[in-house]
Amino acid sequence: MPDHPTSAPPAQVALLKGAVARLAPVLPMLTELGERFAAAGHELALVGGPVRDAFLGRTSPDLDFTTDALPDEILAAVTGWADAHWDIGREFGTIGLRKGPRMLEITTYRADTYDRTSRKPEVMFGHSIEGDLVRRDFTVNAMAIRLPSLEFVDVHDGLADLAARRLRTPAPPEESFADDPLRMMRAARFTAQLGFTVAPEVRRAMQERAATLEIISAERIRDEFSKLLLAPEPRAGLTLLVDTGLADIFIPELPALRLEVDEHHRHKDVYQHSLTVLEQAIALEGPAGGPPESVPGPDLVLRLAALLHDIGKPATRRFEPGGGVSFHHHEVVGAKLAAKRLKAMRYDKETVKQVARLVELHLRFHGYGGGQWTDSAVRRYVTDAGPLLQRLHRLTRSDSTTRNLRKAQRLSAAYDDLEARIDKLAAEEELSRVRPELDGNEIAEVLGIKPGPVLGEAYKYLLSVRLDEGPIGKDAARERLLAWWAQRSN
């Protein structure tokens, strides 16, 4: 690969030099593999994400290649060179292999045609790298490096787009998105991951073809949405989804947050507030690989909860006499809406459960005005949050977006006090493991009953005593249980 073409603008020259340096550790392997294919009479090129990432100064963990060799010919070329290989993608022309710590995929040139009602490709192998590149999603992913010559192939000006941080499609965007509507989701994801902006014609095509996203499976949409949400700056990608109408197709509750703000500004812009809460929650995540109590980022559950914490507001908004606006019980409504939407998007049960619970609990802190938390209230707060406590801390703190500095400082101080109270009681009472002072067997023995709903009722009563009063000892718990039983039996 030449250091730079003499006619390249300075920004592109810098990218080319950086790419050469970034690929240096794998150049011997790339050259060796390219020579094997050349010896067998085949073309081979590094392509797509690894090339783009090299120009961006990033290291790509996996390497993707394209070739004119058919799957059997690919296998013949790598047999004896690769440490392992697999052909699970043979139907689509892809052979996977491992060389040392590196994972590689080699795919025959493609010239897919699509059934545009189902997004199922009819696989047709192509004959040239130019034909292969034109079917890729964006120009920045349609650059290649021929091997072993290291010739840079950029027939769609992807390098110029990379330098401009711009997303364009190799083919007209209407055709590209018609072939695979999920590419519109990828445009939003790359906006969030790489800080790119979409070209005007790409944005127009996204708006015009948004409804075609309906033919894509919920699982594929979910995966792209999760990648976007886990990106360093998801706000730009989410904004693009909403502004182009794509969000209306798979998560309509998000654009629905754009409540009309009345002329007297009696309530804040819920949509913008939610995006700000998401950004603030991200800022409170711990470092990747940190201890669990730091909520190491990126954390999907926290980010989903931050984005969706107010989705119950549109359904609960009421204009009160005197000019006020209320959203009574929006956290309860929102928890149900969040669970319903995430289930529809095929998120796993645990993620759905955790996000819905955080949405339900996100106002709990504000139910104790003035920061006057009793020991009982602290115990209940911790018990209700359970393993989600650290995420709830971050969600609650993030939910303060007021511009009133005094109010913000007051809320922060109150939450500081709550966390201090939690730490103090946790040290004294092991709050994370609060249980009634009599277990199920002991309760059954005291009351002379068998396991069943009544035993569950008695257990809940003793748990409430434990939460309200703290440890009182087994004898006192036994007396309280008998008194409750006598009253219940009357």
Side-chain angles (χ1 to χ4, degrees), residues 41-110:
H42 299 302
E43 298 176 358
L44 183 72
L46 184 69
V47 70
V51 178
R52 179 202 69 220
D53 286 346
F55 283 115
L56 290 173
R58 294 150 49 111
T59 299
S60 187
D62 303 325
L63 298 173
D64 298 323
F65 302 83
T66 188
T67 179
D68 62 347
L70 296 174
D72 286 343
E73 294 169 326
I74 295 173
L75 282 171
V78 301
T79 297
W81 180 81
D83 296 326
H85 67 263
W86 49 94
D87 60 359
I88 192 170
R90 178 195 286 263
E91 179 185 355
F92 299 98
T94 298
I95 300 297
L97 54 111
R98 179 176 58 81
K99 180 67 172 177
R102 295 279 180 176
M103 307 300 290
L104 292 71
E105 281 195 350
I106 305 176
T107 302
T108 306
Y109 292 153
R110 296 272 290 274

Side-chain angles (χ1 to χ4, degrees), residues 327-366:
F327 302 95
H328 293 311
H329 305 302
H330 77 267
E331 73 281 11
V332 177
V333 173
K336 294 177 181 177
L337 289 174
K340 182 178 180 181
R341 176 51 53 197
L342 296 179
K343 286 178 184 175
M345 292 178 71
R346 302 292 192 271
Y347 278 97
D348 63 275
K349 290 182 180 179
E350 191 61 24
T351 296
V352 173
K353 178 182 176 182
Q354 290 179 344
V355 172
R357 185 60 169 160
L358 284 170
V359 172
E360 182 182 1
L361 293 174
H362 84 273
L363 283 185
R364 184 67 61 86
F365 165 71
H366 299 282

Side-chain angles (χ1 to χ4, degrees), residues 121-367:
E122 178 184 344
V123 178
M124 296 176 62
F125 296 137
H127 304 286
S128 71
I129 191 170
E130 291 79 11
D132 181 88
L133 294 178
V134 76
R135 58 164 287 279
R136 294 181 179 269
D137 53 5
F138 300 104
T139 61
V140 296
N141 293 330
M143 300 181 290
I145 299 172
R146 290 186 187 273
L147 302 172
S149 65
L150 302 182
E151 175 193 351
F152 180 48
V153 182
D154 185 17
V155 292
H156 301 290
D157 293 325
L159 189 57
D161 288 332
L162 200 68
R165 308 190 77 77
R166 175 178 57 222
L167 283 177
R168 290 191 306 113
T169 53
E174 297 80 8
E175 292 182 16
S176 182
F177 296 154
D179 282 345
D180 186 359
L182 193 69
R183 288 173 173 171
M184 297 184 288
M185 289 285 295
R186 283 198 207 110
R189 192 236 299 178
F190 286 137
T191 297
Q193 283 183 334
L194 304 175
F196 287 11
T197 57
V198 296
E201 69 274 14
V202 172
R203 179 183 285 268
R204 283 195 299 271
M206 292 172 70
Q207 292 171 326
E208 293 168 0
R209 300 200 59 82
T212 63
L213 193 65
E214 292 177 344
I215 69 173
I216 302 297
S217 71
E219 290 82 0
R220 294 183 73 211
I221 291 174
R222 174 204 63 208
D223 290 346
E224 281 296 328
F225 185 68
S226 294
K227 290 176 184 177
L228 185 162
L229 207 57
L230 294 173
E233 297 182 9
R235 184 174 194 141
L238 293 168
T239 299
L240 184 60
L241 289 177
V242 170
D243 290 350
T244 56
L246 286 167
D248 290 309
I249 306 303
F250 70 95
I251 187 165
E253 295 82 2
L254 182 58
L257 293 176
R258 296 177 296 180
L259 298 175
E260 181 180 349
V261 180
D262 59 277
E263 59 180 334
H264 301 295
H265 300 285
R266 291 174 292 185
H267 63 86
K268 65 183 69 177
D269 183 328
V270 181
Y271 168 65
Q272 293 297 334
H273 164 75
S274 297
L275 295 181
T276 299
V277 171
L278 171 61
E279 289 180 322
Q280 294 184 167
I282 290 172
L284 293 177
E285 289 175 338
E293 60 269 19
S294 72
V295 187
D299 188 89
L300 182 63
V301 169
L302 176 61
R303 295 187 182 199
L304 282 168
L307 182 65
L308 303 178
H309 76 285
D310 272 348
I311 64 169
K313 279 192 170 179
T316 58
R317 181 172 65 161
R318 299 290 183 271
F319 291 100
E320 304 292 351
V325 178
S326 67
F327 302 95
H328 293 311
H329 305 302
H330 77 267
E331 73 281 11
V332 177
V333 173
K336 294 177 181 177
L337 289 174
K340 182 178 180 181
R341 176 51 53 197
L342 296 179
K343 286 178 184 175
M345 292 178 71
R346 302 292 192 271
Y347 278 97
D348 63 275
K349 290 182 180 179
E350 191 61 24
T351 296
V352 173
K353 178 182 176 182
Q354 290 179 344
V355 172
R357 185 60 169 160
L358 284 170
V359 172
E360 182 182 1
L361 293 174
H362 84 273
L363 283 185
R364 184 67 61 86
F365 165 71
H366 299 282

